[in-house]
């Protein structure tokens, strides 16, 4: 299916299905995450992207199919070891009590970084806060931040966890569920740049995105989901076409090609509703 | 990206100041509460029908500790060692247990207003106690046994434990415990237990009604070394487990899924916390009756002072709860001396207005 060979695969999902409330949220989905590869998952609302992510992180148990990490069944791996091998940034994270930004980011390293010295842990939190651009908010209460700032703090927490797990796990994965939903353009690009940089160090990265142009720009491997199924996957330039846009996203737009890297892009200016919609 | 592995660690100046400030505050709060707790205990031991100055109390305790027989002479020694010390120790233990139980429940339910009273533990214990007082008396009339007051603590303890287990089973589906279900079911079970307690009060005679009323308002009177040795092994495990639970509870603040992603054994933390709280609250209710609001007031005050990090919140709540209950006991013994007020009245008189203030102060809607 893709450029990755089976030997390189870190996380492998085979025929995943998930039923809830009498509906198939995910049907027969197969996906491989390879070290150093940024995989981006796109699809309309309710396509099952978040559910697939929950299955791949172990948060939800699939009703069919299996997931293997380095050949080992995901369900058999205890939570603490899994925490060293993968970090997850969920869509929403609400806090009830007034934890500070510093404390929230520290959660990423408190559990799995116990072998580190306290100074090393604090330094790691500082570096992650700086990388996510929220160091100057360190003393603020998380609840009082804007949605975008909260998202960046959560990203800092995930950075902490990946970095802390690095000394323990030989291979790692990073899962981001719509990580840029509340961010301004500058921070959207900064976060995706960092995610790619993390992939550059050998981490398998899976991101759920809505912006097709950003997805095409940052993906090594693009996965398109619709109605619980994976409709297409592969290199972005070969995966996305006008027919797919019409079928999956119900929009009648034609893709253009950017001059330099030759990647497809969309101009919403040419939007007009399909007669059916 | 500046996250490449480094051998030397360095901190940005602002962050270093922040962390140092927090540690200083924690140390200060911990020191102040420990000192306050010790001083208040000395005062509480000295206060009563026979007044003994704190210095003499300290002297007696020190002599007792070193085994200096020359100083262990006189009536005041007997009063201190046999009456006052068990009473104050019971206050410290029950106060610490209730406050930590409250903090644990609030963390578990992700709700600052949760309290063992809210999830039916206290109501179950109350019902069992009422049943012991009213029905036990009835079935045992004519027999030689005069059981009710010996059986009461045990009954209350079992009642609390049974109601918690029932709640836990109701809220658990496929190995996952839903704290939201538990909170709602707790309110329902509490109402049911309340109705049945009311029914028992309805059929009870005057003496039983009086016992029931006094017991439901709580008291540290009747403390003895025997009582203390019965409940200490049940409450102390909760206090010892605090460091074990603190990190997990911090992770749970982000949500159960996030806690799992952080490597926290969520189900085990939940089950352990619920079991320890049920035991501690059951034992507290058994030994001292129903004492409300300690579990809400104390953790909230500590959170306001030093923040919500459970690694500090739990131990400082223990100290704060101990201070509140021993302090309330001093008040209870002072205001209507030589009689004494039920301690539950004092804690509720402080706690209820505070609780209302808490509700009024909230800007947003409640999260359950």
């Amino acid at each position: 299916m893709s450029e990755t060979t089976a030997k390189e695969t870190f996380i492998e999902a085979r025929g995943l299905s998930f039923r809830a409330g009498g509906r198939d949220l995910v049907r027969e989905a197969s996906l491989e995450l390879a070290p150093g590869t940024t995989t981006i998952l796109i699809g309309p609302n309710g396509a099952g992207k978040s559910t697939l992510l929950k299955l791949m992180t172990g948060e939800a148990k699939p009703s069919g199919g299996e997931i293997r990490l380095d050949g080992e069944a995901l369900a058999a791996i205890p939570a603490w070891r899994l925490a060293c091998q993968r970090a997850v940034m969920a869509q929403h994270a609400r806090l009830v009590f007034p934890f500070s930004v510093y404390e929230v980011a520290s959660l990423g390293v408190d559990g799995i970084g116990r072998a580190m010295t306290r100074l090393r842990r604090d330094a790691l939190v500082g570096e992650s806060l700086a990388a996510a651009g929220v160091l100057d908010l360190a003393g603020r209460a998380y609840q009082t931040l804007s949605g975008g700032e909260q998202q960046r703090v959560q990203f800092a927490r995930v950075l902490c966890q990946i970095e802390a797990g690095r000394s323990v796990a030989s291979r790692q994965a990073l899962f981001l569920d719509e990580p840029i939903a509340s961010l301004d353009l500058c921070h959207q690009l900064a976060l995706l740049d960092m995610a790619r940089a993390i992939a550059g160090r050998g981490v398998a990265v899976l991101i759920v995105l809505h912006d097709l142009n950003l997805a095409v720009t940052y993906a090594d491997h693009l996965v398109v989901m619709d109605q619980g199924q994976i409709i297409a996957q592969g290199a972005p330039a070969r995966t996305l076409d006008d027919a797919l846009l019409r079928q999956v996203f119900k929009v009648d737009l034609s893709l253009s090609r950017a001059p330099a890297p030759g990647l497809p892009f969309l101009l919403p200016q040419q939007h007009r509703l399909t007669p059916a919609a | 990206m500046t996250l490449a592995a480094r051998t030397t660690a360095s901190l940005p100046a602002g962050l270093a100041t922040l962390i140092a400030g927090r540690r200083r505050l924690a140390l200060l709060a911990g020191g102040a509460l420990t000192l306050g707790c010790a001083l208040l205990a000395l005062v509480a031991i000295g206060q009563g029908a026979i007044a003994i100055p704190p210095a003499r109390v300290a002297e007696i305790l020190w002599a007792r500790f070193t085994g200096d027989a020359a100083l262990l002479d006189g009536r005041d020694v007997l009063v201190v060692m046999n009456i006052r010390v068990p009473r104050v120790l019971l206050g410290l233990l029950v106060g610490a247990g209730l406050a930590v139980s409250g903090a644990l429940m609030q963390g578990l339910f992700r709700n600052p207003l949760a309290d063992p009273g809210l999830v039916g533990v206290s109501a179950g214990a109350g019902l069992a106690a009422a049943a012991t007082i009213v029905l036990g008396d009835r079935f045992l009339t004519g027999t030689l046994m005069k059981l009710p007051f010996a059986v009461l603590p045990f009954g209350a303890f079992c009642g609390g434990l049974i109601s918690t287990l029932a709640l836990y089973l109701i809220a658990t589906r496929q190995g996952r415990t839903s704290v939201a279900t538990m909170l709602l079911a707790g309110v329902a079970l509490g109402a049911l237990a309340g109705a049945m307690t009311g029914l028992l009060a309805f059929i009870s005679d005057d003496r039983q009604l009086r016992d029931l009323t006094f017991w439901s308002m709580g008291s540290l009177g009747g403390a003895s070394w025997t009582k203390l040795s019965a409940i200490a092994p049940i409450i102390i495990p909760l206090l010892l487990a605090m460091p074990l639970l603190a990190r997990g509870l911090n992770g749970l603040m982000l949500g159960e899924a996030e806690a799992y992603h952080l490597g926290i054994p969520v189900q085990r933390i939940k089950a352990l916390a619920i079991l320890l709280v049920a035991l501690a609250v059951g034992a507290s209710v058994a030994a001292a009756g129903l004492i409300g609001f300690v579990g809400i007031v104390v953790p909230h005050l500590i959170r306001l002072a030093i923040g919500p990090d459970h690694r500090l919140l739990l131990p400082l709540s223990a100290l704060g709860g101990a201070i509140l209950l021993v302090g309330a006991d001093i008040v209870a013994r002072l205001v209507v001396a030589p009689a004494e007020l039920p301690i539950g009245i004092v804690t509720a008189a402080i706690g209820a207005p505070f609780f209302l203030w808490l509700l009024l102060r909230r800007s947003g809607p409640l999260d359950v």
Side-chain angles (χ1 to χ4, degrees), chain B residues 82-92 94 149 152-153 214-215 217-228 231 284-291 325-326 328-330 332-333 338-344:
Chain B
N82 292 345
I83 302 170
R84 304 274 175 80
V85 170
R87 182 173 186 140
V88 169
L89 283 181
L90 185 70
L92 293 173
V94 168
F149 266 97
L152 178 63
F214 263 92
W215 187 81
M217 291 190 293
S219 170
L220 291 178
S224 64
W225 287 108
T226 327
K227 209 175 208 177
L228 204 57
I231 71 154
S284 301
V285 171
L290 293 173
I291 300 173
L325 211 61
V326 171
D329 191 42
I330 293 179
R333 283 187 287 159
E340 53 180 75
L341 222 53
I343 195 169

Tab-separated table of all heavy atoms in Angstrom, chain B residues 82-92 94 149 152-153 214-215 217-228 231 284-291 325-326 328-330 332-333 338-344:
chain	number	residue	atom	x	y	z
B	82	ASN	N	-5.744	9.353	80.293
B	82	ASN	CA	-6.882	8.456	80.099
B	82	ASN	C	-8.082	9.097	79.413
B	82	ASN	O	-8.883	8.404	78.803
B	82	ASN	CB	-7.330	7.870	81.439
B	82	ASN	CG	-6.285	6.925	81.991
B	82	ASN	OD1	-5.375	6.508	81.264
B	82	ASN	ND2	-6.380	6.610	83.261
B	83	ILE	N	-8.216	10.408	79.534
B	83	ILE	CA	-9.397	11.062	78.964
B	83	ILE	C	-9.047	11.998	77.817
B	83	ILE	O	-9.547	11.854	76.707
B	83	ILE	CB	-10.173	11.839	80.056
B	83	ILE	CG1	-10.583	10.874	81.172
B	83	ILE	CG2	-11.391	12.531	79.453
B	83	ILE	CD1	-11.142	11.549	82.391
B	84	ARG	N	-8.135	12.927	78.086
B	84	ARG	CA	-7.898	13.989	77.117
B	84	ARG	C	-7.120	13.510	75.887
B	84	ARG	O	-7.501	13.803	74.761
B	84	ARG	CB	-7.150	15.150	77.782
B	84	ARG	CG	-7.850	15.725	79.007
B	84	ARG	CD	-8.857	16.775	78.633
B	84	ARG	NE	-9.604	17.244	79.792
B	84	ARG	CZ	-9.132	18.138	80.659
B	84	ARG	NH1	-7.928	18.661	80.499
B	84	ARG	NH2	-9.869	18.511	81.682
B	85	VAL	N	-6.028	12.792	76.121
B	85	VAL	CA	-5.197	12.371	74.980
B	85	VAL	C	-5.979	11.486	74.004
B	85	VAL	O	-5.955	11.737	72.799
B	85	VAL	CB	-3.880	11.701	75.446
B	85	VAL	CG1	-3.160	11.054	74.273
B	85	VAL	CG2	-2.976	12.720	76.108
B	86	PRO	N	-6.716	10.475	74.482
B	86	PRO	CA	-7.490	9.680	73.508
B	86	PRO	C	-8.483	10.537	72.734
B	86	PRO	O	-8.660	10.355	71.528
B	86	PRO	CB	-8.228	8.660	74.378
B	86	PRO	CG	-7.495	8.606	75.647
B	86	PRO	CD	-6.825	9.929	75.846
B	87	ARG	N	-9.109	11.492	73.425
B	87	ARG	CA	-10.101	12.348	72.775
B	87	ARG	C	-9.461	13.196	71.679
B	87	ARG	O	-9.984	13.286	70.567
B	87	ARG	CB	-10.766	13.250	73.813
B	87	ARG	CG	-11.838	14.114	73.195
B	87	ARG	CD	-12.608	14.876	74.252
B	87	ARG	NE	-13.714	15.582	73.630
B	87	ARG	CZ	-14.926	15.689	74.148
B	87	ARG	NH1	-15.184	15.130	75.297
B	87	ARG	NH2	-15.864	16.350	73.518
B	88	VAL	N	-8.305	13.803	72.003
B	88	VAL	CA	-7.634	14.651	71.013
B	88	VAL	C	-7.097	13.800	69.856
B	88	VAL	O	-7.212	14.184	68.689
B	88	VAL	CB	-6.520	15.477	71.681
B	88	VAL	CG1	-5.649	16.142	70.630
B	88	VAL	CG2	-7.134	16.517	72.606
B	89	LEU	N	-6.542	12.644	70.187
B	89	LEU	CA	-6.045	11.762	69.123
B	89	LEU	C	-7.185	11.329	68.201
B	89	LEU	O	-7.027	11.286	66.974
B	89	LEU	CB	-5.356	10.534	69.718
B	89	LEU	CG	-3.939	10.751	70.264
B	89	LEU	CD1	-3.382	9.437	70.793
B	89	LEU	CD2	-3.014	11.329	69.203
B	90	LEU	N	-8.345	11.027	68.808
B	90	LEU	CA	-9.508	10.648	67.999
B	90	LEU	C	-9.895	11.805	67.078
B	90	LEU	O	-10.177	11.607	65.892
B	90	LEU	CB	-10.689	10.281	68.916
B	90	LEU	CG	-11.931	9.738	68.202
B	90	LEU	CD1	-11.664	8.351	67.649
B	90	LEU	CD2	-13.135	9.709	69.131
B	91	GLY	N	-9.879	13.037	67.646
B	91	GLY	CA	-10.195	14.222	66.844
B	91	GLY	C	-9.221	14.383	65.690
B	91	GLY	O	-9.618	14.645	64.544
B	92	LEU	N	-7.926	14.234	65.982
B	92	LEU	CA	-6.903	14.376	64.940
B	92	LEU	C	-7.132	13.353	63.832
B	92	LEU	O	-7.115	13.677	62.639
B	92	LEU	CB	-5.507	14.187	65.535
B	92	LEU	CG	-5.000	15.235	66.528
B	92	LEU	CD1	-3.673	14.792	67.138
B	92	LEU	CD2	-4.829	16.585	65.839
B	94	VAL	N	-9.863	11.393	63.110
B	94	VAL	CA	-11.131	11.514	62.381
B	94	VAL	C	-11.094	12.744	61.467
B	94	VAL	O	-11.502	12.688	60.304
B	94	VAL	CB	-12.322	11.582	63.365
B	94	VAL	CG1	-13.591	11.992	62.641
B	94	VAL	CG2	-12.516	10.236	64.043
B	149	PHE	N	-25.204	-0.033	72.229
B	149	PHE	CA	-24.092	0.893	72.086
B	149	PHE	C	-22.759	0.235	71.780
B	149	PHE	O	-21.867	0.875	71.244
B	149	PHE	CB	-24.028	1.847	73.273
B	149	PHE	CG	-24.759	3.106	72.952
B	149	PHE	CD1	-26.071	3.286	73.363
B	149	PHE	CD2	-24.172	4.086	72.157
B	149	PHE	CE1	-26.768	4.423	73.016
B	149	PHE	CE2	-24.864	5.210	71.813
B	149	PHE	CZ	-26.182	5.389	72.238
B	152	LEU	N	-23.307	-0.457	67.889
B	152	LEU	CA	-23.515	0.712	67.048
B	152	LEU	C	-22.345	1.055	66.114
B	152	LEU	O	-22.548	1.173	64.906
B	152	LEU	CB	-23.871	1.901	67.950
B	152	LEU	CG	-24.090	3.233	67.263
B	152	LEU	CD1	-25.262	3.165	66.319
B	152	LEU	CD2	-24.327	4.319	68.307
B	153	PRO	N	-21.118	1.182	66.661
B	153	PRO	CA	-20.020	1.538	65.758
B	153	PRO	C	-19.822	0.512	64.652
B	153	PRO	O	-19.612	0.861	63.491
B	153	PRO	CB	-18.802	1.574	66.678
B	153	PRO	CG	-19.346	1.779	68.036
B	153	PRO	CD	-20.675	1.102	68.055
B	214	PHE	N	-28.578	12.480	69.107
B	214	PHE	CA	-27.234	12.828	69.555
B	214	PHE	C	-26.177	12.216	68.657
B	214	PHE	O	-25.205	12.862	68.285
B	214	PHE	CB	-27.028	12.392	71.010
B	214	PHE	CG	-27.257	13.512	71.948
B	214	PHE	CD1	-28.493	13.727	72.510
B	214	PHE	CD2	-26.219	14.403	72.227
B	214	PHE	CE1	-28.726	14.793	73.340
B	214	PHE	CE2	-26.439	15.476	73.057
B	214	PHE	CZ	-27.694	15.681	73.624
B	215	TRP	N	-26.422	10.998	68.276
B	215	TRP	CA	-25.443	10.299	67.452
B	215	TRP	C	-25.324	10.977	66.079
B	215	TRP	O	-24.254	11.111	65.516
B	215	TRP	CB	-25.849	8.837	67.301
B	215	TRP	CG	-24.788	8.070	66.620
B	215	TRP	CD1	-23.660	7.560	67.177
B	215	TRP	CD2	-24.730	7.788	65.244
B	215	TRP	NE1	-22.899	6.979	66.241
B	215	TRP	CE2	-23.527	7.100	65.032
B	215	TRP	CE3	-25.561	8.048	64.164
B	215	TRP	CZ2	-23.142	6.659	63.780
B	215	TRP	CZ3	-25.173	7.611	62.924
B	215	TRP	CH2	-23.980	6.926	62.746
B	217	MET	N	-25.533	13.971	65.402
B	217	MET	CA	-24.873	15.271	65.431
B	217	MET	C	-23.382	15.153	65.726
B	217	MET	O	-22.661	16.133	65.678
B	217	MET	CB	-25.559	16.173	66.463
B	217	MET	CG	-26.965	16.586	66.021
B	217	MET	SD	-27.681	17.847	67.051
B	217	MET	CE	-27.879	16.988	68.589
B	218	GLY	N	-22.936	13.940	66.027
B	218	GLY	CA	-21.523	13.697	66.192
B	218	GLY	C	-20.964	14.182	67.512
B	218	GLY	O	-21.407	15.180	68.056
B	219	SER	N	-19.975	13.447	68.012
B	219	SER	CA	-19.324	13.841	69.257
B	219	SER	C	-18.003	13.096	69.394
B	219	SER	O	-17.871	11.958	68.952
B	219	SER	CB	-20.218	13.512	70.443
B	219	SER	OG	-19.487	13.675	71.633
B	220	LEU	N	-17.024	13.770	70.001
B	220	LEU	CA	-15.764	13.086	70.278
B	220	LEU	C	-15.759	12.555	71.703
B	220	LEU	O	-14.792	11.952	72.148
B	220	LEU	CB	-14.577	14.032	70.075
B	220	LEU	CG	-14.288	14.468	68.641
B	220	LEU	CD1	-13.115	15.428	68.612
B	220	LEU	CD2	-14.003	13.273	67.757
B	221	GLY	N	-16.882	12.811	72.429
B	221	GLY	CA	-16.984	12.297	73.783
B	221	GLY	C	-16.992	10.779	73.758
B	221	GLY	O	-17.346	10.167	72.747
B	222	GLY	N	-16.585	10.176	74.845
B	222	GLY	CA	-16.557	8.722	74.892
B	222	GLY	C	-15.344	8.135	74.188
B	222	GLY	O	-15.298	6.955	73.885
B	223	ALA	N	-14.357	9.008	73.893
B	223	ALA	CA	-13.133	8.492	73.287
B	223	ALA	C	-12.360	7.700	74.329
B	223	ALA	O	-12.341	8.066	75.496
B	223	ALA	CB	-12.274	9.645	72.778
B	224	SER	N	-11.787	6.602	73.893
B	224	SER	CA	-10.974	5.797	74.813
B	224	SER	C	-9.864	5.149	74.002
B	224	SER	O	-9.902	5.166	72.776
B	224	SER	CB	-11.841	4.713	75.450
B	224	SER	OG	-12.292	3.833	74.432
B	225	TRP	N	-8.886	4.639	74.706
B	225	TRP	CA	-7.794	3.970	73.984
B	225	TRP	C	-8.328	2.777	73.199
B	225	TRP	O	-7.819	2.455	72.125
B	225	TRP	CB	-6.709	3.526	74.966
B	225	TRP	CG	-5.907	4.685	75.496
B	225	TRP	CD1	-5.957	5.207	76.749
B	225	TRP	CD2	-4.958	5.472	74.766
B	225	TRP	NE1	-5.103	6.270	76.855
B	225	TRP	CE2	-4.468	6.461	75.656
B	225	TRP	CE3	-4.472	5.454	73.462
B	225	TRP	CZ2	-3.526	7.411	75.280
B	225	TRP	CZ3	-3.524	6.400	73.088
B	225	TRP	CH2	-3.068	7.364	73.983
B	226	THR	N	-9.363	2.108	73.741
B	226	THR	CA	-9.932	0.949	73.041
B	226	THR	C	-10.542	1.381	71.714
B	226	THR	O	-10.288	0.778	70.666
B	226	THR	CB	-11.054	0.308	73.892
B	226	THR	OG1	-10.727	0.461	75.260
B	226	THR	CG2	-11.264	-1.124	73.522
B	227	LYS	N	-11.356	2.456	71.778
B	227	LYS	CA	-12.004	2.960	70.580
B	227	LYS	C	-10.953	3.384	69.552
B	227	LYS	O	-11.056	3.093	68.362
B	227	LYS	CB	-12.853	4.164	70.973
B	227	LYS	CG	-14.065	4.374	70.107
B	227	LYS	CD	-14.879	5.526	70.671
B	227	LYS	CE	-16.339	5.392	70.335
B	227	LYS	NZ	-17.141	6.453	70.930
B	228	LEU	N	-9.933	4.061	70.079
B	228	LEU	CA	-8.869	4.573	69.222
B	228	LEU	C	-8.141	3.426	68.519
B	228	LEU	O	-7.868	3.483	67.319
B	228	LEU	CB	-7.903	5.383	70.091
B	228	LEU	CG	-7.068	6.432	69.386
B	228	LEU	CD1	-7.950	7.432	68.666
B	228	LEU	CD2	-6.185	7.139	70.403
B	231	ILE	N	-10.208	2.073	65.559
B	231	ILE	CA	-10.354	2.784	64.288
B	231	ILE	C	-9.026	3.201	63.651
B	231	ILE	O	-8.956	3.405	62.448
B	231	ILE	CB	-11.287	4.017	64.405
B	231	ILE	CG1	-10.618	5.130	65.205
B	231	ILE	CG2	-12.636	3.666	64.966
B	231	ILE	CD1	-11.170	6.483	64.823
B	284	SER	N	-14.837	6.553	60.908
B	284	SER	CA	-15.048	7.864	61.534
B	284	SER	C	-16.470	7.980	62.059
B	284	SER	O	-16.698	8.413	63.192
B	284	SER	CB	-14.810	9.001	60.531
B	284	SER	OG	-13.513	8.940	60.040
B	285	VAL	N	-17.430	7.602	61.204
B	285	VAL	CA	-18.838	7.695	61.595
B	285	VAL	C	-19.089	6.783	62.794
B	285	VAL	O	-19.792	7.149	63.736
B	285	VAL	CB	-19.753	7.319	60.407
B	285	VAL	CG1	-21.197	7.204	60.868
B	285	VAL	CG2	-19.639	8.352	59.306
B	286	ALA	N	-18.466	5.605	62.760
B	286	ALA	CA	-18.656	4.666	63.851
B	286	ALA	C	-18.140	5.240	65.169
B	286	ALA	O	-18.766	5.097	66.207
B	286	ALA	CB	-17.942	3.353	63.528
B	287	ALA	N	-16.984	5.906	65.120
B	287	ALA	CA	-16.356	6.362	66.356
B	287	ALA	C	-16.914	7.687	66.844
B	287	ALA	O	-16.961	7.941	68.038
B	287	ALA	CB	-14.846	6.478	66.156
B	288	ALA	N	-17.315	8.573	65.909
B	288	ALA	CA	-17.648	9.938	66.323
B	288	ALA	C	-18.996	10.411	65.792
B	288	ALA	O	-19.322	11.582	65.932
B	288	ALA	CB	-16.539	10.887	65.887
B	289	GLY	N	-19.775	9.541	65.177
B	289	GLY	CA	-21.073	9.960	64.652
B	289	GLY	C	-20.929	10.722	63.344
B	289	GLY	O	-19.863	10.715	62.728
B	290	LEU	N	-22.005	11.364	62.940
B	290	LEU	CA	-21.986	12.074	61.658
B	290	LEU	C	-21.420	13.481	61.846
B	290	LEU	O	-22.013	14.307	62.533
B	290	LEU	CB	-23.395	12.159	61.080
B	290	LEU	CG	-24.027	10.832	60.650
B	290	LEU	CD1	-25.476	11.037	60.258
B	290	LEU	CD2	-23.250	10.214	59.496
B	291	ILE	N	-20.273	13.725	61.226
B	291	ILE	CA	-19.658	15.049	61.298
B	291	ILE	C	-19.518	15.558	59.871
B	291	ILE	O	-18.748	15.015	59.087
B	291	ILE	CB	-18.284	14.995	61.984
B	291	ILE	CG1	-18.440	14.455	63.411
B	291	ILE	CG2	-17.654	16.379	62.002
B	291	ILE	CD1	-17.137	14.209	64.120
B	325	LEU	N	-11.077	19.814	63.330
B	325	LEU	CA	-11.905	19.006	64.225
B	325	LEU	C	-11.509	19.195	65.686
B	325	LEU	O	-12.370	19.318	66.559
B	325	LEU	CB	-11.834	17.527	63.832
B	325	LEU	CG	-13.131	16.802	64.143
B	325	LEU	CD1	-14.284	17.404	63.376
B	325	LEU	CD2	-13.021	15.332	63.862
B	326	VAL	N	-10.203	19.252	65.952
B	326	VAL	CA	-9.763	19.477	67.336
B	326	VAL	C	-10.187	20.878	67.784
B	326	VAL	O	-10.651	21.067	68.911
B	326	VAL	CB	-8.232	19.270	67.455
B	326	VAL	CG1	-7.746	19.714	68.826
B	326	VAL	CG2	-7.892	17.804	67.232
B	328	ALA	N	-12.800	22.575	66.597
B	328	ALA	CA	-14.248	22.544	66.773
B	328	ALA	C	-14.612	21.874	68.092
B	328	ALA	O	-15.569	22.265	68.765
B	328	ALA	CB	-14.902	21.808	65.607
B	329	ASP	N	-13.818	20.876	68.487
B	329	ASP	CA	-14.087	20.182	69.747
B	329	ASP	C	-13.840	21.119	70.934
B	329	ASP	O	-14.573	21.091	71.924
B	329	ASP	CB	-13.220	18.924	69.852
B	329	ASP	CG	-13.659	18.028	71.001
B	329	ASP	OD1	-14.887	17.865	71.170
B	329	ASP	OD2	-12.794	17.517	71.733
B	330	ILE	N	-12.785	21.956	70.815
B	330	ILE	CA	-12.534	22.943	71.873
B	330	ILE	C	-13.742	23.875	71.997
B	330	ILE	O	-14.245	24.123	73.095
B	330	ILE	CB	-11.255	23.763	71.565
B	330	ILE	CG1	-10.019	22.858	71.653
B	330	ILE	CG2	-11.125	24.928	72.539
B	330	ILE	CD1	-8.717	23.558	71.334
B	332	ALA	N	-16.813	23.299	71.015
B	332	ALA	CA	-17.972	22.537	71.482
B	332	ALA	C	-17.954	22.370	72.999
B	332	ALA	O	-18.992	22.352	73.651
B	332	ALA	CB	-17.999	21.168	70.801
B	333	ARG	N	-16.746	22.269	73.576
B	333	ARG	CA	-16.651	22.065	75.018
B	333	ARG	C	-16.703	23.392	75.775
B	333	ARG	O	-16.977	23.422	76.960
B	333	ARG	CB	-15.358	21.319	75.352
B	333	ARG	CG	-15.464	19.829	75.042
B	333	ARG	CD	-14.251	19.085	75.535
B	333	ARG	NE	-13.076	19.353	74.702
B	333	ARG	CZ	-11.828	19.161	75.129
B	333	ARG	NH1	-11.595	18.761	76.355
B	333	ARG	NH2	-10.817	19.401	74.321
B	338	PRO	N	-20.456	23.646	81.705
B	338	PRO	CA	-19.755	22.360	81.702
B	338	PRO	C	-20.373	21.302	80.778
B	338	PRO	O	-19.819	20.230	80.664
B	338	PRO	CB	-19.857	21.907	83.156
B	338	PRO	CG	-21.157	22.501	83.627
B	338	PRO	CD	-21.322	23.788	82.879
B	339	ALA	N	-21.525	21.600	80.127
B	339	ALA	CA	-22.051	20.628	79.159
B	339	ALA	C	-21.229	20.762	77.875
B	339	ALA	O	-20.368	21.640	77.771
B	339	ALA	CB	-23.516	20.911	78.878
B	340	GLU	N	-21.457	19.892	76.905
B	340	GLU	CA	-20.778	20.087	75.630
B	340	GLU	C	-21.733	19.952	74.454
B	340	GLU	O	-22.670	19.164	74.469
B	340	GLU	CB	-19.570	19.165	75.477
B	340	GLU	CG	-19.843	17.697	75.699
B	340	GLU	CD	-18.569	16.903	75.526
B	340	GLU	OE1	-17.702	16.941	76.423
B	340	GLU	OE2	-18.441	16.241	74.480
B	341	LEU	N	-21.469	20.768	73.441
B	341	LEU	CA	-22.282	20.796	72.231
B	341	LEU	C	-21.864	19.622	71.341
B	341	LEU	O	-20.687	19.280	71.303
B	341	LEU	CB	-21.971	22.099	71.502
B	341	LEU	CG	-23.082	22.914	70.871
B	341	LEU	CD1	-24.180	23.201	71.870
B	341	LEU	CD2	-22.500	24.223	70.360
B	342	PRO	N	-22.810	18.995	70.633
B	342	PRO	CA	-22.379	17.991	69.649
B	342	PRO	C	-21.459	18.656	68.614
B	342	PRO	O	-21.766	19.744	68.130
B	342	PRO	CB	-23.683	17.538	69.004
B	342	PRO	CG	-24.744	17.861	69.989
B	342	PRO	CD	-24.276	19.101	70.691
B	343	ILE	N	-20.348	17.997	68.287
B	343	ILE	CA	-19.337	18.629	67.433
B	343	ILE	C	-19.860	18.854	66.014
B	343	ILE	O	-19.448	19.780	65.322
B	343	ILE	CB	-18.038	17.796	67.438
B	343	ILE	CG1	-16.895	18.626	66.858
B	343	ILE	CG2	-18.212	16.495	66.692
B	343	ILE	CD1	-15.550	18.012	67.052
B	344	GLY	N	-20.808	17.995	65.594
B	344	GLY	CA	-21.380	18.156	64.262
B	344	GLY	C	-22.050	19.504	64.087
B	344	GLY	O	-22.057	20.079	62.991
